[in-house]
C-alpha cells in the first residue's frame, strides 16, 4: 500500500523560475515529513523537513508547505538552478513507529533548463 | 569522510548464491536503517536498529534476508539463495535519536547495487 504518493514523475522548469513539487499521503498518523534529493549513483541527501505542528518551513531557496487537512505537502524551490536537476523524494514518518521508518514517494525527476 | 559508507558498491551474483553487504554508519549515530530501491520507485523500508537491537522488520524482509548489528556500530545485510527479484539498490542510512530530539533526518550511504543473474 502506497501511503505516500508523488503523482508527477517529472518536472521541467526554466532556470530562475520556481519549481513546485507535490506529495500526498494517506496515513493520518504521519507527523514528520521530509524532502530528499538524489543524484544518480548517490544516496538520497536530506533537504528540508517539517513537523505536523507547523504549516511552513523555510531554508534558503527551499520552502516546504504542509496542509494537514488535505494530507498534502509541497516543496518550492526559488529560484531554480541547474544544480537542482535531480530526483526529489518526499518521505513521511509517525510517532507510532518511533519515527523509525520513513515511507517514501516514488520521486519526481526535476530538470532545470537554461 | 565521515558519512555513511557501504561495501561493496556493486555486486553481481548468480541466482541461488548468498550475498552479504556491509554498512558503516556515522560514528555517533545510534540508529541504522536498511532500505531497498528498485527502478522508478522510492526507497522501501526493510528494517532498522537502535544500537544492537533490531526494532522493526518489514514484511518485505523474507526469511532469506537477515540483518545484524552486533556491536551497535556497523551492520550487515545477508540475502540467502538470491532470486532475480532481489536485484535492486540496497541503501543504508543512520540517524541520531536522543530524548531531546524526536524528529531526526536519516543520512544515507551511496548504496549497494545488486544484480542477480
Amino acid at each position: 500500500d502506497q501511503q505516500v504518493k508523488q503523482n508527477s514523475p517529472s518536472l521541467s522548469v526554466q532556470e530562475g523560475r520556481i519549481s513546485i513539487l507535490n506529495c500526498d499521503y494517506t496515513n493520518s498518523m504521519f507527523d514528520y515529513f521530509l524532502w530528499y534529493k538524489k543524484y544518480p549513483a548517490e544516496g538520497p541527501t536530506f533537504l528540508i523537513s517539517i513537523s505536523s505542528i507547523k504549516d511552513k518551513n523555510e531554508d534558503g531557496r527551499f520552502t516546504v508547505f504542509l496542509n494537514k487537512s488535505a494530507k498534502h505537502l509541497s516543496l518550492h524551490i526559488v529560484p531554480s538552478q541547474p544544480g537542482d536537476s535531480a530526483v526529489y523524494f518526499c518521505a513521511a514518518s509517525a510517532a507510532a513507529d518511533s519515527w523509525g521508518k520513513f515511507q517514501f514517494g516514488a520521486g519526481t525527476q526535476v530538470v532545470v533548463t537554461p | 569522510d565521515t558519512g555513511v559508507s557501504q561495501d561493496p558498491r556493486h555486486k553481481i551474483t548468480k541466482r541461488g548464491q548468498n550475498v552479504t553487504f556491509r554498512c558503516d554508519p556515522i560514528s555517533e549515530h545510534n540508529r541504522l536503517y536498511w532500505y531497498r530501491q528498485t527502478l522508478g520507485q522510492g526507497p522501501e523500508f526493510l528494517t532498522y536498529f537502535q544500537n544492537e537491537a533490531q526494532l522493526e522488520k518489514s514484511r518485505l524482509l523474507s526469511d532469506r534476508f537477515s540483518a545484524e548489528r552486533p556491536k551497535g556500530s556497523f551492520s550487515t545485510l545477508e540475502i540467502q539463495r538470491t532470486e532475480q527479484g532481489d536485484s535492486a539498490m540496497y541503501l543504508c542510512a543512520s540517524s541520531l535519536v536522543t530524548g531531546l530530539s524526536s524528529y531526526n533526518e536519516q543520512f544515507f550511504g551511496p548504496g549497494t547495487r545488486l544484480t542477480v543473474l
Side-chain angles (χ1 to χ4, degrees):
Chain A
D1 59 337
Q2 191 74 10
Q3 298 184 50
V4 178
K5 296 180 182 178
Q6 294 176 257
N7 292 319
S8 298
S10 63
L11 173 70
S12 182
V13 63
Q14 222 169 7
E15 182 178 0
R17 307 294 286 264
I18 183 171
S19 295
I20 300 176
L21 291 80
N22 294 303
C23 179
D24 297 293
Y25 61 96
T26 57
N27 188 342
S28 58
M29 299 297 290
F30 288 147
D31 59 0
Y32 182 52
F33 305 88
L34 310 91
W35 284 93
Y36 280 83
K37 174 181 178 180
K38 187 179 183 304
Y39 294 118
E42 295 182 10
T45 302
F46 169 74
L47 264 182
I48 191 168
S49 63
I50 188 167
S51 72
S52 59
I53 61 174
K54 295 184 175 181
D55 55 18
K56 177 182 173 182
N57 189 26
E58 196 170 351
D59 184 1
R61 297 185 298 116
F62 303 94
T63 302
V64 56
F65 296 91
L66 175 62
N67 182 333
K68 288 186 291 293
S69 61
K71 294 190 179 68
H72 177 84
L73 64 155
S74 62
L75 174 68
H76 293 205
I77 307 173
V78 182
S80 299
Q81 299 175 354
D84 296 331
S85 296
V87 178
Y88 290 78
F89 295 100
C90 69
S93 66
D97 295 323
S98 300
W99 302 283
K101 63 182 181 185
F102 289 174
Q103 302 273 6
F104 283 84
T108 296
Q109 172 78 59
V110 172
V111 176
V112 180
T113 57
Chain B
D1 184 13
T2 57
V4 178
S5 62
Q6 292 187 245
D7 184 70
R9 293 292 303 275
H10 303 273
K11 179 71 177 178
I12 300 174
T13 190
K14 293 183 178 179
R15 189 178 52 180
Q17 298 293 304
N18 300 342
V19 295
T20 300
F21 309 140
R22 177 181 170 122
C23 171
D24 286 89
I26 294 171
S27 58
E28 63 268 26
H29 284 184
N30 52 3
R31 279 196 181 174
L32 187 148
Y33 312 80
W34 286 99
Y35 291 85
R36 181 174 71 185
Q37 185 177 18
T38 53
L39 196 62
Q41 300 298 316
E44 295 175 290
F45 171 80
L46 292 178
T47 187
Y48 86 96
F49 294 83
Q50 180 144 331
N51 301 313
E52 315 80 39
Q54 189 172 19
L55 296 188
E56 187 166 352
K57 292 168 60 173
S58 162
R59 288 170 295 177
L60 292 174
L61 216 64
S62 76
D63 292 344
R64 297 184 297 107
F65 288 71
S66 62
E68 294 184 342
R69 194 184 183 199
K71 296 182 180 179
S73 57
F74 74 92
S75 175
T76 58
L77 177 67
E78 180 183 17
I79 309 174
Q80 296 182 327
R81 306 180 303 282
T82 52
E83 302 172 356
Q84 288 182 326
D86 297 331
S87 295
M89 175 74 83
Y90 289 84
L91 292 163
C92 174
S94 69
S95 69
L96 176 64
V97 175
T98 69
L100 299 175
S101 168
S102 300
Y103 305 128
N104 59 96
E105 65 264 27
Q106 296 176 12
F107 295 83
F108 282 82
T112 295
R113 179 164 295 285
L114 173 66
T115 302
V116 182
L117 302 175

